[in-house]
């Protein structure tokens, strides 16, 4: 009687989970790094512009993102640090860092969108230019860079959400660097011919080169 045995294929759930983990890790790293870079770049650009009237006539005023608000740039650095720290902690620590990463992205989006309509930085410049503390900028308008910063915040938020969802499957940094479990070599015994031993022998009045013949 012949027996027919069928090979049982390996479960596909583990392969799918590993593939999903790698994909989420790659997307989170790319989103977090790109979002931080876009945000930092956007805060160095011109966000708003307007005019102020003085005795010589109207002149233009401009304000960069860092003049309007320093929140996006600060949170971009925090988010980038949190993205790296995700791999240095585990369990509850990873969950907390992932939440910090997501909150950094949400904070950048909020601050950037609010900064798009904020004219306080230009008003301060107008007050200095005119010498009138109550002066306000005229013909106020903003550029697209505040919205670029908001997009950067959205990318950081996406990285944080991915870390919250899949972070427990991601690898963590190991505290053991190049340790293969092999026993460490024992420290060599003191060599009487080492220079320090020779000087000690001379101090004792001994001949450091005197050796019994074989």
């Amino acid at each position: 009687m012949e027996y027919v045995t069928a090979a049982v294929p390996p479960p596909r759930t583990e392969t799918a989970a590993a593939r999903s983990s790698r994909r989420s890790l790659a997307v989170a790293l790319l989103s977090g790094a790109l979002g931080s870079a876009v945000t930092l770049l956007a805060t160095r650009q011109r966000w708003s512009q307007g005019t102020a009237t003085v005795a010589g006539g109207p002149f233009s005023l401009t304000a960069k993102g860092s003049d309007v608000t320093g929140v996006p740039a600060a949170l971009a650095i925090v988010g980038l640090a949190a993205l790296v720290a995700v791999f240095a902690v585990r369990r509850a620590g990873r969950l907390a860092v992932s939440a910090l990463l997501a909150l950094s992205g949400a904070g950048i989006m909020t601050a950037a969108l609010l900064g798009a309509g904020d004219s306080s930085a230009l008003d301060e410049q107008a007050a200095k230019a005119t010498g009138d503390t109550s002066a306000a900028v005229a013909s106020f308008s903003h550029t697209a860079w505040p919205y670029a910063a908001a997009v950067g915040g959205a990318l950081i938020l996406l990285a944080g959400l991915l870390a919250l969802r899949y972070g427990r499957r991601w690898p963590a940094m190991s505290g053991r660097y190049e340790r293969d479990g092999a026993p460490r070599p024992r420290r060599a015994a003191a060599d009487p011919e080492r220079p320090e031993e020779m000087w000690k022998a001379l101090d004792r009045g001994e001949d450091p080169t005197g050796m019994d013949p074989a």
Side-chain angles (χ1 to χ4, degrees):
M1 180 180 294
E2 296 181 355
Y3 296 91
V4 179
T5 58
V8 179
R12 297 184 178 181
T13 55
E14 296 181 359
T15 303
R19 187 181 303 109
S20 176
S21 176
R22 290 193 299 270
R23 186 182 300 112
S24 63
L25 174 58
V27 173
L29 287 175
L30 180 60
S31 299
L34 182 60
S36 298
V38 170
T39 302
L40 291 174
L41 175 63
T43 56
R44 293 180 173 88
Q45 308 303 319
R46 184 178 62 185
W47 278 26
S48 58
Q49 55 194 11
T51 59
T53 303
V54 294
F59 67 99
S60 61
L61 301 173
T62 60
K64 296 189 299 184
S66 57
D67 299 328
V68 176
T69 174
V71 173
L75 289 181
I77 297 175
V78 172
L80 189 60
L83 182 63
V84 176
V86 165
F87 304 97
V89 294
R90 300 180 181 180
R91 298 183 179 88
R94 176 167 292 186
L95 183 64
V97 173
S98 300
L100 177 61
L101 179 60
L103 290 175
S104 298
I108 291 172
M109 294 178 61
T110 303
L113 294 177
L114 291 177
D118 189 357
S119 63
S120 59
L122 292 178
D123 290 339
E124 292 179 2
Q125 294 184 22
K128 292 180 181 179
T130 61
D132 184 4
T133 56
S134 62
V137 67
S139 303
F140 172 79
S141 63
H142 62 268
T143 66
W145 284 108
Y147 302 108
V151 171
L155 291 174
I156 296 176
L157 175 60
L158 174 61
L161 295 177
L162 289 174
L164 287 171
R165 175 64 178 85
Y166 301 100
R168 65 182 183 276
R169 303 177 185 174
W170 295 349
M173 293 181 182
S174 176
R176 303 176 61 186
Y177 297 100
E178 298 180 1
R179 294 182 182 179
D180 55 0
R184 296 181 179 179
R186 294 184 178 181
R187 184 174 298 177
D191 187 358
E193 294 184 1
R194 289 186 302 176
E196 58 270 19
E197 295 296 332
M198 295 178 64
W199 285 111
K200 291 179 181 179
L202 290 174
D203 292 338
R204 294 192 299 267
E206 301 174 357
D207 182 8
T209 62
M211 300 179 62
D212 296 334

